[in-house]
Amino acid sequence: MFTDLPEPQLRQHRSTVVEPDDFDDFWRTTLDEARAHPIGVVSTPVETGLTTVDVFDVEFAGYAGQPVRAWLTVPAGQRAPLPAVVEYLGYGGGRGLATEHTLWASAGYAHLLMDTRGQGSGWSVGDTADPDGSGPAGSGVMTRGIGSPETYYHRRLMTDAVRAVEAARALDVVDAERIAVLGVSQGGGLALAVAGLVDGLAGVFPRVPFLCDFPRAIVMTDSDPYREIGRYLAVHRSSTEQVLGTLAYFDGVLHARRATAPAWFSTALMDATCPPSTVFAAFNDYGSLARGDAPAKEITVYPFNGHEGGGPHEDAATLPRLRALLRP
């Protein structure tokens, strides 16, 4: 069934998230601290048995210089600078096997798939640890370090996501001026964060994005991962204001406001994991703080789908959009 407001109301919905006064300073300091460490990209060829693509095991310095793994997949034999897709993964997943992700390279792009620190045991295997500890937290990562924005898990993960673009730009096989970011669910939320934190992107593709409009999301759905926060607050009864204050620094709505690249969103009206109003909250504010003309944006609505959204249909729709964005 439909999980949220009627579509005309969704297109008018605005988040109630309160922007912290030091939002920009927080992220400037966080990224400056990460950039104090050389990006240190190491790329090692992997023998996969595939003949149409070449795969490389990549490592780069993410948050606090900590190592982050990724797969780089390129068309076989291609070494000239290529347009690139940097992709982020959904909640609980890791980068998986070297042979799993071939679509974007098959379309002619360099594809950097970032592993997700401390995850990779839900539906695909991961190879990146999260070395930083945590205070009291529920299962999953949504309450890990939630006592302050400085210690919160997504500070580290979103910094990794920014550094993944910087790692891609450091690769000889990538044209640094032609990079799009893409992700589904958690990956879509990370793409939005990167859109607000990184200049010069060619395009942004947040699909059924997670990590948006936290004040509404945590009371709109009983589904994990948002429900992890509700369970935490059911125990830590006096912590609601503090928790919402922390989450605001990581809310896709506030990052979306700062974006300057064209964006193609998707949402599904029967999505009980990322309610469509939370996606529309980010879409409706996307680019609203951009200087000059606001960036182009579109949203595809799948009325009868859940959190799978468009699935392979969205891949098919993305290919011509990437071609228009990334070809000379």
Side-chain angles (χ1 to χ4, degrees):
M1 67 179 191
F2 287 173
T3 61
D4 211 326
L5 301 168
E7 187 173 339
Q9 293 180 36
L10 291 172
R11 293 187 178 275
Q12 302 300 317
H13 173 66
R14 291 294 190 276
S15 175
T16 61
V17 62
V18 177
E19 182 171 313
D21 292 338
D22 65 341
F23 182 91
D24 292 316
D25 288 340
F26 172 84
W27 280 107
R28 187 178 301 110
T29 299
T30 296
L31 295 178
D32 284 348
E33 290 173 356
R35 289 167 178 150
H37 303 271
I39 192 69
V41 180
V42 177
S43 178
T44 305
V46 177
E47 178 54 54
T48 63
L50 301 176
T51 60
T52 59
V53 297
D54 296 330
V55 184
F56 300 83
D57 187 356
V58 171
E59 184 175 287
F60 62 91
Y63 173 84
Q66 294 164 355
V68 178
R69 305 288 291 278
W71 293 126
L72 171 67
T73 309
V74 300
Q78 287 286 339
R79 296 295 179 267
L82 296 169
V85 175
V86 175
E87 184 173 1
Y88 308 109
L89 290 158
Y91 193 79
R95 66 175 184 163
L97 304 181
T99 52
E100 286 188 63
H101 310 280
T102 60
L103 174 63
W104 306 118
S106 297
Y109 307 111
H111 176 221
L112 187 73
L113 179 75
M114 187 188 86
D115 202 14
T116 307
R117 63 167 58 224
Q119 296 188 35
S121 295
W123 50 270
S124 64
V125 67
D127 297 302
T128 301
D130 181 21
D132 287 15
S134 170
S139 60
V141 302
M142 292 306 298
T143 60
R144 190 177 295 174
I146 204 167
S148 77
E150 288 76 17
T151 59
Y152 190 44
Y153 169 81
H154 282 93
R155 183 189 188 207
R156 304 189 290 280
L157 184 58
M158 289 181 177
T159 301
D160 292 348
V162 169
R163 295 287 275 171
V165 173
E166 295 171 358
R169 286 175 169 168
L171 291 163
D172 291 341
V173 75
V174 170
D175 181 343
E177 301 301 316
R178 293 187 290 161
I179 294 178
V181 294
L182 178 150
V184 179
S185 191
Q186 175 182 258
L190 293 176
L192 282 175
V194 171
L197 293 169
V198 175
D199 292 328
L201 295 173
V204 183
F205 294 83
R207 300 177 175 182
V208 291
F210 180 44
L211 307 173
C212 296
D213 197 5
F214 280 111
R216 182 171 176 85
I218 64 175
V219 299
M220 272 293 296
T221 178
D222 272 335
S223 297
D224 284 341
Y226 284 123
R227 186 57 190 159
E228 292 178 27
I229 301 167
R231 285 195 294 269
Y232 177 92
L233 291 174
V235 175
H236 299 270
R237 291 172 170 83
S238 62
S239 298
T240 301
E241 183 177 353
Q242 170 262 313
V243 164
L244 288 174
T246 291
L247 292 171
Y249 290 88
F250 310 95
D251 199 309
V253 172
L254 301 186
H255 287 291
R257 289 176 183 173
R258 291 158 167 78
T260 57
W264 287 264
F265 286 67
S266 70
T267 189
L269 299 188
M270 295 185 178
D271 189 346
T273 302
C274 293
S277 60
T278 67
V279 177
F280 269 99
F283 174 77
N284 291 337
D285 264 7
Y286 188 87
S288 61
L289 295 183
R291 296 175 182 174
D293 294 336
K297 62 182 182 180
E298 295 181 17
I299 187 166
T300 302
V301 177
Y302 295 95
F304 293 97
N305 289 91
H307 196 50
E308 78 282 3
H313 297 272
E314 193 72 12
D315 288 339
T318 298
L319 286 167
R321 292 165 178 161
L322 283 175
R323 191 176 306 117
L325 284 174
L326 299 181
R327 293 301 181 193

